[in-house]
Each structure stands twice: as structure tokens, then as C-alpha cells.
Amino acid sequence: MSSPDPHSANSPQQASDARLQQKPARHGLVGLTLAGLVVSMLGLSYAAVPLYKMFCQVTGYAGTTQRAKAAPLKASKELITVRFDANVSRDLDWQFKPAQRSITLKIGEEKLAFYEATNTSDKPITGTATFNVTPAIAGSYFNKIACFCFTEQTLEPGETVQMPVSFFIDPDILTDSDSKDVKEITLSYTFFVVKNQKTTQIKKSNANGSL
Amino acid sequence: MSTQAHAADHHDHDHKPGFVKRWLFSTNHKDIGTLYLIFAMVGGTIGGFLSMGIRAELAEPGMQIFSNPHMFNVFSTAHGLIMIFFMIMPSLFGGFGNWFVPLMIGAPDMAFPRLNNVSFWLMPPALTLLIISLFVEGPSGMNGAGVGWTVYPPHSTSGHPGPAVDFAILALHLAGASSILSSINFITTIFNMRTPGMTLHKMPLFVWSMLVTAFLLLLAMPVLAGAITMLLTDRNFGTTFFDPAGGGDPVLFQHLFWFFGHPEVYVIILPGFGIVSQVISTFSKKPVFGYLPMAYAMVAIGAVGFVVWAHHMYTAGLSLDTQAYFLAATMVIAVPTGIKIFSWIATMWGGSVRFPTPMLFAIGFIVLFTLGGVTGVVLANPGIDRAFHDTVYVVAHFHYTMSIGALFTLFSGWYYWFPKMTGYMYNETLGKIHFWMLFIGVNVTFFPQHFSGMAGMARRQADYPDALAGWNMISTIGAWISIAAMAVFFFAMALAFVRKQKAGDNPWGVGATTLEWTVSSPPAFHAFEKLPKVK
Ligand code: HEM
Ligand SMILES: [Cu+2]
């Protein structure tokens, strides 16, 4: 793009080499510091993966439910309805449905619900379920004591199993101004095929959860 | 820098190496800048061709030129990625940055000239990989990656089993590495190589804009690199970062992507802010109104830009409080943005204003950008965004700001510095015709998209209801006007090289006060062998 060089050829190398050499040490220092910044941002992006999971579990973000050892001793008189929803990933040859459409219970009271899964294929398959509740705000008040979703489930060809989940709604839901008007919560599960079936295969005896 | 004086000793030093050494192994900032500009023209031509494919498909309801909707998405994906990574960034950041940052701060070259060469030569392979992705299998039985420039899983994982997405990801890796290396180079140059007297608070605003942009790239690009590497391993090596079957979450990808993505939109426009500041000051014969606020407004935009990302995710199930936070933070960005617009207007106010082509493009940019800023503030409201998200209203918003907005700053800078870079003057009448045709063309294309978007026209869909045919016909006419404008541009440039009308060192007169106007046009192969003094 530049016009032809008006000057005569003398020693082109010298000028540009001088330029390359005149690199004070502080160039290297600034450059390395900036490179360090790049590496730490890259590290942070990976650190975001566990941090994000922790964040969702602690805050009930996006309807992530909580885990608890036991229900509170005193239940409230208020009633709430829990509806049950079931989905199966396209790649998984299972039928999966809730055994009951909904349960109405006292807030704070522990209840047991069942899902039913059938392996419709001709080989054993291990699946794992993800879950959440809507409205999302209810996530931090929805406590599971035991759930088939805590472990992977293996079904033999044609086998049908009942899968239990025991849960309660934390009475604190009534004191949070964002959630006190919630009268109905939908608990939803989606079953996926576990990748690398061989390595993660678990004993069938585990399949009924730890109830 | 004592060696400087020594290099200036033998005064016949302006020599250029032979062709291969000069262009393939170039370490000269101006030559590398030229390479970037040529590369961006190639990218822009391919990207423009793809956009005509999009408009041809949307010209009427029903399917026109594509046999299936996937191909339409392949075109818009490639159009977006190419325009962002292979047109706007190489021209504004790589091209003008390399040309004028050293000249404006009185440095003999960049801090790491060889690294600079590597940065450029990562780009052609990156573009090649992206183009290859168009011709290899994406979804089973179909070619290309139809995933959008945002590459969201699961469509980019289980939705595209073929290698097309892998090629696109690797293209982004290379382009990202190139940007990171250039950023390190620019920051080191700006921190260490300013001529005596050129304090940070005296630097031209274009240099400030490049400094902030380089920091944005440095902090944001690695996060994109991380996210797409996870995507790559999810696709090929059985990891499950974004796959619920293994305990991952696809929404995490959206967080990572937009943590990069929002700063990225400012990476694209900030150099343009710098250019417009120089141009407006030059043609108003006044220093920029409120120089320091202008510089720090860019710093503020850059900083706040890192904490607003989820305004792209209002429909992804954020809690109410989170939405309220991102609403507020997003609105805050409009403040420093507003400061800049007012300062540009105040610079013109009371100045002796002339309107050659670069100034027209700068003012055109202000008009377009203000409009885009207003629709941005509308979209910042989660309640409204629930309805507008993924409609062409958003397409109109971001084209007014970052696409045609950035394009107008690019042309403003191009006409402004063309005499400096080539030594030739362009034809002013043709430049003005180019401006007016393009200004009309882009507005006719994108303004109706506000209306069709509000009426429910979805983006990323090849077909639409008959009721929207009218608006779409207008958009298509606008696209043809814009293409004609580009023909005028290429003709004007060819004519300038044929006529070879000498421009002189400073064709713009007393308003052009920055250092690049003190050297010859085109500048010597090694300008500033002797460091200039700044008072
Ligand atoms: C006043 C300042 C701005 C505000 C308040 C704002 C707000 C927003 C919001 C809320 C969205 C999300 C819309 C949706 O997807 O539903 C959005 C999208 C977008 N904005 Fe802005 N914006 C502003 C300025 C800018 C600027 C300056 C640029 C670029 C230079 C830009 C580029 C984009 C892009 C590229 C998208 C769409 C990304 C995609 O979905 O593909 N915006 N903006
Ligand atoms: Cu944004």
C-alpha cells in the first residue's frame, strides 16, 4: 500500500534488527504479567464449573432442591400441593412416569412418593436423573431425605421398578415474602443414559434407593 | 531507548526487505496493519456474501434459496462469526491499531514485533478452518454448523454430531489466541514505549480506546477459550461439563459465553469510539470536549461490561433478584455511554465544523449508535425482553450498535487515514455518495426489523408468517442499496489508486493534531527513528 521507497539501499537489516534488539527487560516483565493474567482467567473459567454447582446447591438457584437428614419435628397447618413430572431423554429406551399425579401435604410434613421406570430395551441400561422444581424460588425450601436420583439406576431388559423419593417442604417457605404465596410446586425429573456404561455400572440392589 | 539515536545515525535507513521477507515475515507495524486491513476486506466480502444469502432467503415467506432451514442457520452463523472475528476485529483492532498506536505515541514500532507477526498469521488459518466447517458434516446428513455465533449446547453438542462444530471451535481458538497475543503487545507498547512527554493523560483517545480494548480481550478471551474447550471435550472426549446426563448444566455454558460475550461487544465498538473522537475533533478544529471524562468513560464501560452478562439470559430461568440486579447493572452502562455521545456533540458545538467523508461517517455513527443504545435500554428490562428475546428486534439493536455502528467507525477511520496510509487522496464526491447510500441502505434494512421483531418475527428462522412479508421486503430492498453502496466504495478506492493524487503529510489542516500527521504520507518504513518530543 505504500509508495516505492525513495531512498537508496544501504543496510536494511541493520535498522530493523536494532529495533528487535532494543527490547528493555521491562517489556518482558509487562508481557509476562499480562500472560499470567490470561492464564489465571483461563483457570477461573474452569473453576467456574464446581463453583457454579456449589452456588446452585447452596442457593436453590434455578430450582435446585435441597438435601436433608430428617423433617422438622413440627409441621405447619398450611397445605401445599406437590405435582410430579417425568421426562426421558431421547437416547434412553425407558418408560418413566410418576405413580401419582400429585400429593397434597402439610408444610413441614414428610411424604413418600413413587415413580415407575421400565427398561423397554433388550439390554441392561444404567440411567441417572436430573431434577428441579418450579417455581424456581421453591428450590431452596424443597428438601429431599432420600431419592432415587441420588444414585445411578440400572434396569435389566424388561424390568420395571418403583422408585421412591421422600421429601418435605421447609416451613421457612412461609416466611419468605417471595415464596409465601406458592401453593403448588412441580417436581420434575429427567432420566438420561449414563455415559460409559461399563465403568459406572452399579449393583442392582442399590436401585431402590436407601430407604 | 538509547539505541534509537544510534539507528538514526546513518540517515539512509528507510529500507524495505524483499517481498517474501517483507510480507510473510513482517515485523513492521505498518505492514502488519496493512495485512490486517487486506485480510479484513477478504473476511468482509465473504461475510457480506453470506448476509445476502440470509436476505435472499427472507425475501419472501416460505423457503426460497435453501433446501432446508439448517442451511439458513449455517449462513447466519458463519456471517456473524466472520463479521465479528474476521472483519471488524482485524480491521479496527489489528489494522488501525497496528498502524496508528505506535505512530500516535511516537514509538518506533510495537514492543514485540515478531509476536505481532505471529498474531497476524494465526488469522488466515482460523478463517480457513471456519470456511472448512461449512463443507463438512454438522447434524447427521447435513453440512455446516448451524449453531449461531453463541454455539449453545445442546444444539452444538448432541445436535451436531459431525465435525463441523469442531472446526468452528478450533477457528475460534486460533482467532482468540491471535487477539490475546496482540493485546499483550498493545498494552506493553502503550505502557513502555511512549515518547518522552506523552503521558497517559496526553495520549490520543484512539490509543486509550485500544488500551481498554486490549484489557477487555485479555480478560474475556480466555473465558471463551475455556468454555469452547469444554464444549470440544464434551463433544469428543466424553466429559460432561454441559451435559445433564453426567451432572453438567447447559446453562453454565451460557454464563461462560456471555461473560466473554458482553465484553466482546465492547471490544468491537471501543476502537470505533476512539476513531470517532479523533475525527470529530479534527473536523471541528477543537480538542475533544472533556478529554479525561472521555478516557475514563471508556475505562468505566470496560469495567462495568464484565458484570452485566446475564442480560442475555433473562429467559434462561434467573431468579427475580438476579434479574433485578442485571437490569440495574445494565442500565448503569448507559451512563458512561451517554457521556461519550454528549461529549462528541459538545465537541462539534461552536467548532468550525467541516463535513468531509470521514466526518459524515462519524456523525452517521453517532446517529446509529444512539438509536441502538436506546433499544438496548429497552431490552435491559426483563419484562420486555421476555417478549423481544430472540426476535429480530434484538437483531436490529445489535446491528445499530455493533454491526453497522462499528462499520461506520471503520469507514470513518478508513477515509480519515487513507491519505496517511497510502499517500493518495480519495475522491470526496464518491466518498459522500458512498456514505449517503450506505446510510440509507442500512437504515432501510434494519429499522423495519424493530417493527417486525415486535410483531413476533423470530431470528434464526428461515421462514415467517405472511403478515410479516411487507417489512421483510423493505429490509431486502435496503440490503440491495447497501450492496450498491459497497460497489461505490470499491470503485472509489480503485480510482484513488489509479489517479494517485498526492495527499501531502497533513491533508486535514490544523485540526489534525496527533503525531501521525507530523510524518510523511505514507510514513517512512521506519518512522520515528528519532523520538518526537511532546510538550
Ligand atoms: C445502552 C447500552 C446497551 C444496553 C442497555 C444493551 C442491552 C442489551 C440487552 C438487554 C440484550 C439482550 C437482548 C436479548 O437477547 O433478548 C442485548 C443484546 C445484544 N447487544 Fe446490547 N445493549 C447495549 C449496547 C450494546 C452495544 C454498544 C453493543 C455492541 C457494540 C451491543 C451488542 C449487543 C449484541 C451483539 C446483542 C445480541 C447478542 C445475541 O443474542 O446474539 N449492545 N443488548
Ligand atoms: Cu450484552
Side-chain angles (χ1 to χ4, degrees):
Chain A
M1 214 162 266
S2 317
S3 68
D5 177 13
H7 301 287
S8 66
N10 196 343
S11 52
Q13 253 339 88
Q14 224 163 325
S16 68
D17 278 359
R19 184 176 323 277
L20 289 177
Q21 281 153 15
Q22 43 130 322
K23 196 181 292 173
R26 57 203 182 114
H27 278 17
L29 189 68
V30 175
L32 277 181
T33 313
L34 297 173
L37 214 57
V38 170
V39 173
S40 38
M41 286 312 288
L42 191 66
L44 277 180
S45 69
Y46 275 86
V49 176
L51 287 176
Y52 177 78
K53 249 181 223 155
M54 264 161 55
F55 176 76
C56 291
Q57 274 154 11
V58 172
T59 59
Y61 198 81
T64 308
T65 57
Q66 311 293 304
R67 264 175 100 153
K69 289 241 159 56
L73 294 176
K74 264 185 66 184
S76 137
K77 285 212 181 58
E78 300 267 342
L79 290 178
I80 196 161
T81 301
V82 175
R83 304 179 72 79
F84 299 92
D85 173 52
N87 309 280
V88 188
S89 143
R90 231 188 313 184
D91 323 322
L92 180 60
D93 285 335
W94 281 13
Q95 270 177 5
F96 175 53
K97 56 177 195 284
Q100 63 292 300
R101 278 274 144 238
S102 67
I103 290 182
T104 299
L105 72 166
K106 294 201 192 84
I107 290 179
E109 174 190 17
E110 183 183 333
K111 276 278 178 190
L112 185 63
F114 284 93
Y115 277 75
E116 194 178 284
T118 308
N119 183 349
T120 53
S121 79
D122 51 9
K123 45 183 183 305
I125 302 182
T126 306
T128 179
T130 63
F131 47 87
N132 72 346
V133 296
T134 30
I137 184 72
S140 43
Y141 303 105
F142 198 103
N143 289 271
K144 290 180 190 151
I145 297 169
C147 176
F148 59 89
C149 57
F150 293 165
T151 54
E152 291 166 354
Q153 310 288 332
T154 304
L155 295 192
E156 298 301 327
E159 186 188 3
T160 297
V161 291
Q162 299 283 319
M163 296 179 167
V165 47
S166 83
F167 62 94
F168 66 93
I169 313 293
D170 189 333
D172 284 349
I173 197 171
L174 295 168
T175 53
D176 180 339
S177 60
D178 285 338
S179 63
K180 67 177 190 317
D181 295 328
V182 172
K183 292 283 172 270
E184 194 173 278
I185 299 176
T186 304
L187 173 63
S188 173
Y189 289 98
T190 306
F191 250 106
F192 293 91
V193 193
V194 169
K195 293 201 170 165
N196 314 324
Q197 289 280 328
K198 293 224 175 54
T199 52
T200 50
Q201 199 108 344
I202 52 162
K203 284 254 166 58
K204 222 199 91 194
S205 58
N206 258 359
N208 284 344
S210 47
L211 272 178
Chain B
M1 279 176 216
S2 53
T3 41
Q4 252 347 95
H6 145 83
D9 277 345
H10 39 113
H11 61 196
D12 271 341
H13 51 262
D14 192 35
H15 305 294
K16 301 177 194 108
F19 182 86
V20 171
K21 188 154 193 332
R22 177 168 180 195
W23 295 110
L24 258 51
F25 301 105
S26 182
T27 55
N28 180 289
H29 71 101
K30 295 182 284 285
D31 286 351
I32 292 180
T34 302
L35 287 173
Y36 268 113
L37 289 171
I38 295 171
F39 178 76
M41 278 193 203
V42 174
T45 308
I46 303 174
F49 164 76
L50 290 164
S51 73
M52 290 318 281
I54 299 174
R55 270 318 331 153
E57 177 52 57
L58 294 178
E60 288 168 34
M63 296 303 282
Q64 330 296 317
I65 65 168
F66 296 121
S67 50
N68 65 55
H70 167 73
M71 231 27 229
F72 174 82
N73 286 337
V74 170
F75 267 55
S76 41
T77 303
H79 164 73
L81 287 175
I82 289 179
M83 287 304 198
I84 292 170
F85 289 98
F86 303 114
M87 199 282 271
I88 293 286
M89 287 173 68
S91 51
L92 290 176
F93 189 69
F96 292 151
N98 269 302
W99 254 97
F100 294 107
V101 165
L103 287 181
M104 282 180 152
I105 62 174
D109 207 304
M110 296 285 280
F112 305 109
R114 290 206 179 107
L115 194 66
N116 208 7
N117 176 279
V118 175
S119 298
F120 173 76
W121 285 107
L122 284 173
M123 295 300 278
L127 179 58
T128 311
L129 284 174
L130 190 61
I131 290 175
I132 292 176
S133 88
L134 299 177
F135 300 102
V136 297
E137 188 171 34
S140 23
M142 289 182 273
N143 283 351
V147 290
W149 81 287
T150 53
V151 215
Y152 282 180
H155 195 44
S156 61
T157 50
S158 52
H160 279 69
V165 173
D166 300 317
F167 277 101
I169 288 175
L170 291 174
L172 292 187
H173 271 125
L174 289 191
S178 161
S179 300
I180 289 172
L181 295 181
S182 313
S183 301
I184 292 178
N185 217 338
F186 277 121
I187 296 173
T188 312
T189 308
I190 294 171
F191 279 171
N192 285 357
M193 295 179 69
R194 280 166 287 127
T195 195
M198 176 65 74
T199 61
L200 280 178
H201 282 177
K202 279 189 188 152
M203 281 191 327
L205 283 172
F206 177 68
V207 183
W208 264 105
S209 74
M210 293 299 295
L211 183 63
V212 178
T213 306
F215 268 108
L216 291 187
L217 280 171
L218 208 64
L219 297 175
M221 265 306 170
V223 178
L224 174 70
I228 59 179
T229 307
M230 292 179 210
L231 205 58
L232 199 67
T233 57
D234 269 15
R235 288 174 49 80
N236 298 300
F237 305 113
T239 60
T240 54
F241 290 105
F242 309 125
D243 185 355
D249 186 350
V251 176
L252 174 62
F253 179 85
Q254 299 192 15
H255 283 290
L256 291 174
F257 181 86
W258 288 114
F259 185 85
F260 148 80
H262 187 83
E264 170 69 14
V265 305
Y266 282 101
V267 161
I268 284 166
I269 202 60
L270 277 172
F273 283 179
I275 293 171
V276 167
S277 300
Q278 308 300 145
V279 168
I280 294 213
S281 148
T282 296
F283 297 110
S284 307
K285 276 200 206 157
K286 271 172 69 188
V288 167
F289 177 86
Y291 165 82
L292 273 188
M294 282 295 255
Y296 283 98
M298 287 192 280
V299 177
I301 288 174
V304 183
F306 277 103
V307 292
V308 299
W309 74 89
H311 64 218
H312 297 276
M313 299 170 54
Y314 286 141
T315 57
L318 303 180
S319 76
L320 190 62
D321 290 344
T322 317
Q323 291 180 46
Y325 160 75
F326 280 105
L327 158 64
T330 303
M331 293 265 184
V332 165
I333 287 219
V335 176
T337 312
I339 290 180
K340 298 203 70 77
I341 291 177
F342 283 119
S343 288
W344 287 321
I345 295 171
T347 306
M348 290 187 274
W349 198 270
S352 69
V353 185
R354 284 183 297 143
F355 298 98
T357 311
M359 186 65 161
L360 288 180
F361 273 103
I363 295 173
F365 160 76
I366 296 177
V367 173
L368 297 171
F369 189 78
T370 306
L371 239 156
V374 169
T375 52
V377 173
V378 172
L379 289 171
N381 298 276
I384 298 179
D385 186 64
R386 210 60 58 87
F388 289 179
H389 180 66
D390 269 348
T391 67
V392 295
Y393 187 94
V394 176
V395 173
H397 158 67
F398 71 74
H399 277 82
Y400 270 92
T401 47
M402 96 163 172
S403 313
I404 52 180
L407 183 68
F408 272 52
T409 68
L410 172 57
F411 281 127
S412 178
W414 177 266
Y415 283 104
Y416 182 59
W417 283 317
F418 182 82
K420 178 54 60 185
M421 294 187 293
T422 62
Y424 306 139
M425 204 57 203
Y426 60 87
N427 181 309
E428 201 51 81
T429 313
L430 284 176
K432 284 180 176 155
I433 294 176
H434 172 214
F435 167 77
W436 282 110
M437 284 177 68
L438 193 63
F439 189 75
I440 293 170
V442 296
N443 277 296
V444 172
T445 307
F446 290 107
F447 205 79
Q449 299 192 3
H450 293 115
F451 304 122
S452 51
M454 281 194 275
M457 165 107 184
R459 68 190 279 211
R460 295 174 173 160
Q461 294 201 7
D463 195 3
Y464 52 84
D466 289 351
L468 298 168
W471 292 127
N472 276 286
M473 189 186 69
I474 299 175
S475 280
T476 307
I477 294 172
W480 283 111
I481 300 176
S482 310
I483 288 288
M486 290 311 296
V488 174
F489 168 73
F490 281 112
F491 177 71
M493 290 305 113
L495 194 69
F497 280 105
V498 171
R499 287 255 178 89
K500 293 193 186 333
Q501 185 195 337
K502 287 264 175 300
D505 292 355
N506 179 3
W508 306 128
V510 289
T513 54
T514 39
L515 282 178
E516 79 269 31
W517 303 108
T518 64
V519 299
S520 59
S521 299
F525 193 61
H526 297 305
F528 298 139
E529 290 292 339
K530 268 217 187 76
L531 297 182
K533 280 252 158 48
V534 175
K535 278 162 263 107

